[in-house]
Amino acid sequence: MAYPGYQGQQPGGDPLWGYFASVGGQDGQIDPIELQQCLTSSGISGSYQPFSLETCRVMIAMLDRDFSGKMGFNEFKELWAALNGWRSIYMQYDADRSGFINYQELGNCVRGMGYNLNPQTLNVLIKRYNKNGQITFDDFVACAVRLRALTDAFRRRDTAQQGMCTFQYDDFLQCTLCI
């Protein structure tokens, strides 16, 4: 039997299926509240605070290709892999496991994710996610999600790969407001 959001056989053998199925409804999808419950019970945030509902919303939006506001199992697996990568990068700079990195280290994390931002753009990120000179894991993930989603949207429109593209106003709003 195929499940919505999962092409192929029943994913019962996948270790992530248990987390997903524990909160997913009959439609085989999870919404932001269910994602928050799922990620909290899975312990993926480690010793860091659980993810906020807003961060869960943007995580779903990053992978929500049909604009349903929900996520299927394949998207959940893609998110899980991304979260593990982001957690590894974050932990490199949170050496004391305090749950925070400082604003200077955010630049190193962003470069570690493969982004080469100019100082002005990096300063915008620092101002947006910095709370009293520190960035939580939750805020770092929200930043990483937005960077990935907006970069993906830009790349789809930059067909010549020259760092420039044209957006229609409604298209621009859809790209930015959903994230």
Side-chain angles (χ1 to χ4, degrees), residues 86-103:
W86 294 329
R87 184 178 58 190
S88 294
I89 291 168
Y90 188 86
M91 289 175 70
Q92 282 180 287
Y93 297 98
D94 181 23
D96 65 356
R97 300 297 181 260
S98 65
F100 302 100
I101 58 172
N102 68 41
Y103 63 90

Side-chain angles (χ1 to χ4, degrees), residues 5-106:
Y6 188 83
Q7 304 301 318
Q9 299 180 35
Q10 180 175 346
D14 192 308
L16 296 178
W17 177 249
Y19 295 123
F20 183 85
S22 71
V23 297
Q26 291 296 322
D27 64 353
Q29 304 278 309
I30 57 175
D31 65 22
I33 292 170
E34 293 166 333
L35 178 62
Q36 185 182 42
Q37 293 167 351
C38 180
L39 294 176
T40 299
S41 69
S42 75
I44 191 158
S45 60
S47 61
Y48 301 123
Q49 292 293 314
F51 293 108
S52 69
L53 186 56
E54 180 58 23
T55 299
C56 291
R57 284 185 184 114
V58 297
M59 284 190 264
I60 287 179
M62 173 181 73
L63 299 168
D64 189 11
R65 293 168 185 101
D66 65 355
F67 300 105
S68 68
K70 294 185 175 187
M71 164 183 291
F73 186 60
N74 278 341
E75 292 87 5
F76 178 72
K77 287 175 33 173
E78 186 177 343
L79 174 64
W80 190 272
L83 284 171
N84 277 310
W86 294 329
R87 184 178 58 190
S88 294
I89 291 168
Y90 188 86
M91 289 175 70
Q92 282 180 287
Y93 297 98
D94 181 23
D96 65 356
R97 300 297 181 260
S98 65
F100 302 100
I101 58 172
N102 68 41
Y103 63 90
Q104 295 165 330
E105 294 166 332
L106 179 61

